[in-house]
Amino acid sequence: MTEKTDHRLRVTLRQLEVFAATAREGSTRAAAGRVARSQSAASAALADLEAALGAQLFDRIGRRLVLNENGRALLARSVSLVDQAAELQALFFTDQQTPLRVAASFTTGEYLLPGIVLRWKQQNPQARARLIIGNSTDVIAAVVGFDADVGFIEGRQTHPDLAVHRWLSDEMVIVAAPTHPLAGRMAGVRELAEAGWVLREEGSGTREATNDWLARRVGPLNIELEMGSSHAIKRVVASGVGVGCMSRYAVADALADGSLVELKTTLPKNSRALSIVLHRERRPGRTMQGFIDFCKGASGN
């Protein structure tokens, strides 16, 4: 007789949900809070999953659970399955629709996405979104770690687990207060090298673009201040302290109201790419794909 193969499903969505939450939080106690279950129920679900698969998914290091090779292979597909199940449930319980988690670098998150998200929300009133703003390194880490569904970054930073899609082109500009000595005339390389600079912090896409553009042509910059947001830089530079290098999107309002002026220089123009990043192994759900398509349409791409 031919031996029959048991095709019954041994893995449940609840087990995968607990597994994904544990991978993010590092413990079943924290995972239980994320999935609204008791710690004992979460621990039991994780143990049942490992028993069903016949494989250990975490290394136990002290009190912390760290994904091993088996766990890393399972994580992306688990997140996708749980996301799809949540979307299926949302078809019947719209009040339970999971928010789309969007991570964005400062330039995109502060100056581009708010208006786009508002228009998307107007067309999709049942949809919900959570916008997290950080530097490009933070955004990449969030998407790689499944703490964000989609990311928007500036510059060339990437990660082997990410698929990067070019979105917009952005021009870098050098700005100063209208009363600055370099305002209103052509600034040469030597004058730029001697100027005091107010720049974004290392790790940000704007700083990467500044270094790529200026350091190779001007040489080491005299950096007086480093700041974590373009808003702060604009206020400081507008007060007459130093010159700044930022995205044209970020300074468009200040140039329009005259609090900042764009310096004329002998340097060639410089543009950089703003990109959308997704996890390579995660299939976008309906809401995520709809939002990405909306963003691309809003930019004309």
Side-chain angles (χ1 to χ4, degrees):
M1 294 180 61
T2 304
E3 184 178 347
K4 292 184 179 180
T5 302
D6 187 351
H7 292 294
R8 291 177 300 172
L9 289 175
R10 294 181 172 83
V11 175
T12 69
L13 283 169
R14 176 61 64 202
Q15 292 167 354
L16 295 178
E17 182 184 39
V18 170
F19 161 70
T22 303
R24 288 169 175 162
E25 301 293 341
S27 72
T28 53
R29 180 187 296 275
R34 180 184 278 265
V35 300
R37 290 290 184 273
S38 68
Q39 183 181 2
S40 60
S43 297
L46 184 58
D48 289 344
L49 176 61
E50 291 184 322
L53 296 175
Q56 186 172 310
L57 302 173
F58 294 91
D59 291 327
R60 275 70 176 176
I61 301 176
R63 294 185 177 182
R64 186 167 180 79
L65 298 178
V66 179
L67 280 174
N68 60 21
E69 184 178 358
N70 295 325
R72 288 192 294 272
L74 181 64
L75 182 58
R77 293 186 181 184
S78 296
V79 171
S80 292
L81 284 171
V82 172
D83 285 350
Q84 291 173 53
E87 285 197 347
L88 180 65
Q89 182 171 284
L91 294 175
F92 301 93
F93 303 97
T94 54
D95 60 329
Q96 296 182 15
Q97 188 165 355
T98 302
L100 179 67
R101 298 167 304 165
V102 181
S105 61
F106 281 95
T107 297
T108 306
E110 291 181 334
Y111 300 101
L112 291 172
L113 279 184
I116 292 175
V117 170
L118 176 61
R119 295 194 296 274
W120 173 71
K121 176 66 177 172
Q122 289 170 341
Q123 293 188 17
N124 302 273
Q126 299 300 327
R128 294 190 293 158
R130 181 181 301 133
L131 178 59
I132 307 162
I133 300 177
N135 63 36
S136 293
T137 301
D138 297 329
V139 173
I140 288 172
V143 178
V144 169
F146 298 102
D147 291 319
D149 302 310
V150 57
F152 293 80
I153 63 170
E154 47 202 90
R156 300 190 309 273
Q157 297 181 62
T158 186
H159 187 281
D161 291 343
L162 295 184
V164 181
H165 306 274
R166 187 184 178 96
W167 182 40
L168 291 171
S169 180
D170 180 27
E171 183 185 0
M172 300 298 295
V173 294
I174 300 174
V175 295
T179 56
H180 193 278
L182 296 181
R185 61 189 184 85
M186 186 69 67
V189 170
R190 177 178 295 180
E191 291 169 309
L192 293 175
E194 293 173 351
W197 290 83
V198 183
L199 300 177
R200 283 290 307 279
E201 79 286 4
E202 292 285 355
S204 70
T206 296
R207 181 60 177 272
E208 177 192 39
T210 300
N211 290 343
D212 287 348
W213 182 31
L214 298 180
R216 291 188 292 113
R217 295 174 174 85
V218 178
L221 300 178
N222 176 24
I223 301 173
E224 295 188 352
L225 290 171
E226 292 181 299
M227 298 191 144
S229 79
S230 295
H231 280 303
I233 293 175
K234 288 193 294 183
R235 291 189 62 181
V236 170
V237 173
S239 73
V241 177
V243 297
C245 181
M246 286 179 286
S247 158
R248 186 172 291 281
Y249 290 118
V251 297
D253 56 345
L255 294 177
D257 66 26
S259 58
L260 291 176
V261 294
E262 180 179 353
L263 295 187
K264 299 177 182 178
T265 75
T266 57
L267 301 176
K269 291 193 178 221
N270 180 266
S271 295
R272 60 174 177 170
L274 304 182
S275 302
I276 299 173
V277 293
L278 303 169
H279 199 289
R280 287 187 183 278
E281 298 184 23
R282 184 176 184 183
R283 192 183 79 176
R286 179 170 53 88
T287 301
M288 189 197 310
Q289 188 61 58
F291 178 72
I292 293 169
D293 291 341
F294 186 88
C295 289
K296 291 181 177 179
S299 68
N301 290 341

